[in-house]
Amino acid sequence: MSADSSPESSIAVEVKKVTKIFPNGDTPTYALREVSFQAQNGKLTMIVGPSGCGKTTLLSVICGTLGVDSGDIEVFGNNLKMMSDAEITHFRCLNVGFIFQQFNLIPTLTIVENASIPLILQGMPYRKAEEKAAALLEDLGLGKRIRSFPRQLSGGQQQRVAIARALVHDPKLVICDEPTASLDAATGHHALELLKNSACNADRCVIVVTHDSRIFSFADWIAEMEDGRVIKSCLPADYHHG
Ligand SMILES: Nc1ncnc2c1ncn2[C@@H]1O[C@H](COP(=O)(O)OP(=O)(O)OP(=O)(O)O)[C@@H](O)[C@H]1O
Ligand SMILES: [Mg+2]
């Protein structure tokens, strides 16, 4: 790929000819067909494309939550194939923040507890973790709701909690699956600003899957997928979606 090759840019995530097949009985689904993809440090890379083209599957193999049938994935120079499941889990815990398509908040925890989870997993004392999570929730407009439970919030509010949980431990890699799907334009804009700020750091990488053309302008680089393949890789200014 010809992504910015200036001397200061460096590759955070490299996916090399990865194929992922879901057996699905008699008719296997080729979710990824020899996909190659790169995301740079200090950049916000967007993955776009129609429903079912393999976007969530690509994020899942980059995180190592889903194995691959062939090909290689390197994250910050670590080849996931060479790591045990326990090593991948530990690596994720330290370095990766996720926003899932379905939020995946824990229903029995308050939203500040949900947003504290990555810090608690890293061993931060409970109170300090909650303070840090509460400050970020406040910044996302949820300061008055920190003791609410996810079911008491709207879809857009739950999505903001998911964004807080993804950023609270200042991870090197932030992975977001449709982060603005349930957000109104203004809140979506603010969420992307937070993600974009995160990507401004030279040693941070943000990857966002989206259908939302309103946020394409936040991208530093766009990879378009179709039918399990990356078919185009370009600057947002050169991306013309129909
Ligand atoms: N766990 C699974 N088992 C079987 N098939 C799956 C599984 N996950 C995804 N697929 C199939 O793999 C293909 C790619 O799915 P994926 O979820 O990656 O698409 P997507 O681009 O994220 O779509 P959307 O925009 O609707 O979220 C689809 O055909 C889907 O049905
Ligand atoms: Mg998806």
Side-chain angles (χ1 to χ4, degrees):
M1 161 172 126
S2 56
D4 180 1
S5 55
S6 55
E8 64 271 21
S9 70
S10 60
I11 297 168
V13 173
E14 178 145 35
V15 174
K16 296 180 202 166
K17 289 196 162 191
V18 162
T19 294
K20 174 67 191 175
I21 307 165
F22 291 109
N24 286 347
D26 288 345
T27 47
T29 302
Y30 280 73
L32 301 176
R33 300 169 189 260
E34 297 206 335
V35 166
S36 293
F37 166 84
Q38 283 181 352
Q40 308 265 353
N41 282 308
K43 303 236 184 291
L44 192 154
T45 301
M46 276 188 194
I47 303 172
V48 304
S51 180
C53 70
K55 303 182 298 295
T56 297
T57 307
L58 180 57
L59 293 185
S60 305
V61 299
I62 289 170
C63 297
T65 50
L66 196 61
V68 303
D69 290 283
S70 62
D72 286 283
I73 297 160
E74 284 184 14
V75 184
F76 303 122
N78 299 282
N79 189 330
L80 299 189
K81 214 189 250 174
M82 303 301 177
M83 295 163 77
S84 67
D85 286 350
E87 284 169 339
I88 291 176
T89 303
H90 183 65
F91 181 78
R92 249 198 323 268
C93 175
L94 290 181
N95 297 300
V96 186
F98 313 88
I99 302 166
F100 300 93
Q101 203 164 3
Q102 318 291 343
F103 314 150
N104 291 11
L105 299 175
I106 298 177
T108 51
L109 298 182
T110 64
I111 68 167
V112 71
E113 288 167 343
N114 265 284
S116 308
I117 290 170
L119 297 172
I120 308 266
L121 288 176
Q122 287 184 7
M124 187 180 279
Y126 189 77
R127 231 175 123 158
K128 203 171 156 206
E130 278 210 357
E131 272 170 24
K132 217 172 161 209
L136 191 49
L137 289 167
E138 169 102 43
D139 191 35
L140 282 163
L142 291 170
K144 293 197 173 73
R145 305 300 300 272
I146 62 170
R147 299 291 160 200
S148 299
F149 290 91
R151 67 173 181 281
Q152 298 170 313
L153 302 183
S154 70
Q157 289 169 331
Q158 289 185 41
Q159 203 154 22
R160 278 181 272 162
V161 179
I163 290 169
R165 184 182 54 187
L167 298 180
V168 74
H169 55 311
D170 206 15
K172 284 166 71 176
L173 174 62
V174 180
I175 291 199
C176 322
D177 204 348
E178 303 279 1
T180 59
S182 314
L183 302 182
D184 59 68
T187 318
H189 202 85
H190 186 51
L192 258 291
E193 272 169 2
L194 279 171
L195 294 170
K196 184 85 178 174
N197 272 346
S198 195
C200 281
N201 281 302
D203 59 348
R204 297 281 184 278
C205 171
V206 179
I207 303 176
V208 175
V209 158
T210 189
H211 281 108
D212 187 351
S213 57
R214 293 174 306 179
I215 64 170
F216 288 174
S217 58
F218 283 92
D220 295 304
W221 194 257
I222 293 186
E224 183 180 11
M225 291 187 73
E226 190 180 287
D227 195 21
R229 295 187 176 89
V230 172
I231 57 162
K232 187 170 184 184
S233 213
C234 62
L235 290 165
D238 299 326
Y239 182 66
H240 306 288
H241 57 99

